[in-house]
Coordinates of all heavy atoms in Angstrom, one line a residue:
M642 N 92.0 27.6 57.8 CA 92.2 26.2 58.0 C 93.7 26.0 58.2 O 94.5 26.7 57.6 CB 91.8 25.5 56.7 CG 92.0 24.0 56.8 SD 91.3 23.1 55.4 CE 92.5 23.6 54.1
I645 N 96.3 20.3 61.5 CA 96.2 19.9 62.9 C 97.4 19.1 63.4 O 98.0 19.5 64.4 CB 94.9 19.0 63.1 CG1 93.7 19.8 62.8 CG2 94.8 18.5 64.5 CD1 92.4 19.0 62.8
R653 N 105.1 20.4 70.2 CA 105.8 19.5 71.1 C 107.3 19.5 70.9 O 108.0 19.6 71.9 CB 105.3 18.1 70.8 CG 106.0 17.0 71.6 CD 105.4 15.6 71.3 NE 105.5 15.2 70.0 CZ 106.6 14.6 69.4 NH1 107.7 14.5 70.2 NH2 106.6 14.2 68.2
Q656 N 109.0 22.6 72.4 CA 109.1 22.6 73.9 C 110.0 21.4 74.4 O 110.2 21.3 75.6 CB 107.7 22.5 74.6 CG 106.8 23.7 74.2 CD 105.5 23.6 74.9 OE1 105.4 23.4 76.1 NE2 104.4 23.8 74.2
R675 N 100.6 9.8 68.4 CA 101.2 9.8 67.1 C 100.1 9.9 66.0 O 100.3 10.5 65.0 CB 102.0 8.5 67.0 CG 102.9 8.5 65.7 CD 103.8 7.3 65.6 NE 104.8 7.3 66.7 CZ 104.7 6.5 67.8 NH1 103.7 5.7 68.0 NH2 105.7 6.6 68.7
T697 N 92.7 17.7 75.0 CA 93.7 17.5 76.1 C 95.1 17.7 75.6 O 95.9 18.4 76.3 CB 93.6 16.1 76.7 OG1 92.2 15.9 77.2 CG2 94.5 15.9 77.8
Q707 N 89.9 24.1 72.1 CA 88.6 24.3 71.3 C 88.9 24.6 69.9 O 88.1 24.1 69.0 CB 87.8 25.4 72.0 CG 86.4 25.5 71.4 CD 85.6 24.3 71.6 OE1 85.6 23.7 72.7 NE2 84.9 23.8 70.6
L708 N 89.9 25.3 69.6 CA 90.2 25.6 68.2 C 90.5 24.4 67.4 O 90.1 24.2 66.2 CB 91.4 26.6 68.1 CG 91.9 27.0 66.7 CD1 90.8 27.9 66.1 CD2 93.2 27.8 66.8
S736 N 40.2 6.3 53.1 CA 39.5 6.4 51.8 C 38.4 7.4 52.0 O 37.9 7.7 53.1 CB 38.9 5.0 51.4 OG 37.9 4.7 52.4
A747 N 28.0 11.5 62.1 CA 28.1 12.7 62.9 C 26.9 13.7 62.8 O 26.3 14.2 63.8 CB 29.4 13.4 62.7
T769 N 9.6 27.5 85.9 CA 10.3 26.8 86.9 C 11.6 27.5 87.2 O 12.4 27.8 86.3 CB 10.6 25.4 86.5 OG1 9.3 24.7 86.2 CG2 11.3 24.6 87.6
G791 N 44.9 29.7 86.7 CA 46.0 30.1 87.6 C 47.3 29.3 87.3 O 48.4 29.8 87.6
K798 N 61.8 29.4 85.1 CA 63.0 29.0 85.9 C 64.1 30.0 85.7 O 64.3 30.5 84.6 CB 63.4 27.6 85.5 CG 62.4 26.5 85.8 CD 62.9 25.1 85.4 CE 61.9 24.0 85.7 NZ 62.4 22.7 85.3
R828 N 97.3 31.3 72.1 CA 97.1 32.1 70.9 C 96.2 33.3 71.2 O 95.9 34.1 70.3 CB 96.5 31.3 69.8 CG 97.4 30.2 69.3 CD 96.8 29.6 68.0 NE 97.8 28.6 67.5 CZ 97.6 28.0 66.3 NH1 96.6 28.3 65.6 NH2 98.5 27.1 65.9
L837 N 108.6 40.8 86.6 CA 108.1 41.3 87.9 C 109.3 41.4 88.9 O 109.8 40.3 89.3 CB 107.0 40.5 88.5 CG 105.6 40.7 88.0 CD1 104.6 39.7 88.7 CD2 105.1 42.1 88.3
T842 N 103.8 44.2 92.0 CA 102.5 43.4 91.9 C 101.8 43.8 90.6 O 101.8 44.9 90.1 CB 101.6 43.8 93.1 OG1 102.3 43.5 94.3 CG2 100.3 43.0 93.0
P874 N 103.8 26.4 90.9 CA 104.9 25.5 90.6 C 106.2 26.1 91.1 O 106.3 27.3 91.3 CB 104.9 25.4 89.1 CG 104.1 26.5 88.6 CD 103.1 26.8 89.7
G886 N 90.8 28.4 90.1 CA 92.1 28.3 90.6 C 93.1 28.1 89.5 O 92.8 28.3 88.3

Side-chain angles (χ1 to χ4, degrees):
M642 183 175 69
I645 296 175
R653 175 175 63 81
Q656 300 183 48
R675 189 176 293 106
T697 300
Q707 186 61 45
L708 180 66
S736 65
T769 303
K798 295 182 180 179
R828 295 191 176 188
L837 277 179
T842 300

